[in-house]
Amino acid sequence: MVMNLTTPGKIRNLQRKLYCKAKAEPTFRFYLLYDEICREDILLHAYRLARVNAGAPGVDGMTFARIEEQGLEAWLAGLRVELVSKTYRPDPVRRVMIPKANGGERPLGIPTIRDRVIQTAAKIVIEPIFEADFEDNAYGYRPARGAVDAVKEVHRHLCRGYADVVDADLSKYFDTIPHSELMKSVARRVVDRNVLRLIKMWLRAPIEERDADGARRMSGGKGNTRGTPQGGVASPLLANIYINRFLKHWRLTGCGESFQAHVVSYADDFVILSRGRAAEALAWTKAVMTKLGLTINEAKTSLRNARQERFDFLGYSFGVHRFEANGNWYLGASPSKKSVKRLKTRIGDLLVPSNIDPWPEVCDKLNRTLRGWSNYFGYGSRSKAYRSVDQYVFERLRRFLARRHKVQGRGNRRFTFDVIHRELGVLCLQRLPRAVPSCALR
């Protein structure tokens, strides 16, 4: 089924009107939004967006293929009836644990497709209102913004001399957002009680977990007073609404001037870049986060002097770098060691002896992995990381092909650099167009 993801004109006009109204009148509160969420065209567009994002089934096991097989139009009509009659209740959220880069696990909540579509419809309607309020230094989960924009902003501030850094980490931000305070933040703009009721139901949806034996365990529900499950469509927007309290308070209290500092935020991940006042900025931030019911992770939060040491943010490593040509130092941004290691692990997992997929499929997967990584890590000083990845790909691929073709030894003669990259079509990162590097230290 081919999906058209272009936002229909009528929906785009509604979003533009809501945004302009919110931007022009910062204290205006919106009353009549629920009927817009129930619109047939908005529900259909929400389904298309959810469909493209794919994702695993929720607790009911329903898939997009089954919905379309049974009749999408009737399914959406049934959803609309539930909303209009206000009989809609969310299903439990299926919780799975996904591995984190540091070796731990992160809980991921998977709503049913039915709930994902309704959450998407609500997001279509209310997101423009809150977009008008969000601070300019917030980059996470926002339209026309991304992590690389945040990376560039951090680098710009470093190059302007804001090199005393608070490398901050919030403890389990998504899991600890207090519902009562979050709903106050939402209600400052949205006072349609039916929309608020939807959000409350999603926040308090029961969570279903299954152990190794398949036994079902339920948690959360009406007694739950904190957290918005990662994995839900509405969660990133709600998380942004709440962290915006901190960012707005920073601006309104003049902290930028007091601490000679800038904050760059990506959802729950943020750094503060200062000129000599980082310790004071951190003390202030801890106090404000406590008032918001949030906690700074002491073990993962540190003060850094970027002119002497590096810090990582959004997969990049910032701080002192050296020009290979002349040995001079400069303040740069490059793919972090952890990011390079994770990529190599993914490549290693693909090029295992047990992979008997046809070569075109293997090559396509490998190239998509490399291109996706390079699309994100295409900013700043990338030569060293690209060279390391290319060398790893070349060595792993040569051994992989030698085993597959039963070539004796390591395949050095048969699978040369030119054979692998020119004849077999494997992407070489170092041959991609180069970016102009950063600012030299004086």
Side-chain angles (χ1 to χ4, degrees), residues 343-365:
L343 175 64
K344 289 179 179 179
T345 299
R346 287 177 64 193
I347 293 166
D349 290 343
L350 174 66
L351 301 177
V352 290
S354 57
N355 185 349
I356 57 172
D357 292 341
W359 168 248
E361 289 183 21
V362 175
C363 184
D364 183 56
K365 285 180 184 175

Side-chain angles (χ1 to χ4, degrees), residues 55-77:
V59 294
D60 61 357
M62 181 62 75
T63 63
F64 289 103
R66 272 180 59 195
I67 289 170
E68 287 156 22
E69 186 183 312
Q70 294 169 9
L72 174 59
E73 194 173 322
W75 186 84
L76 285 172

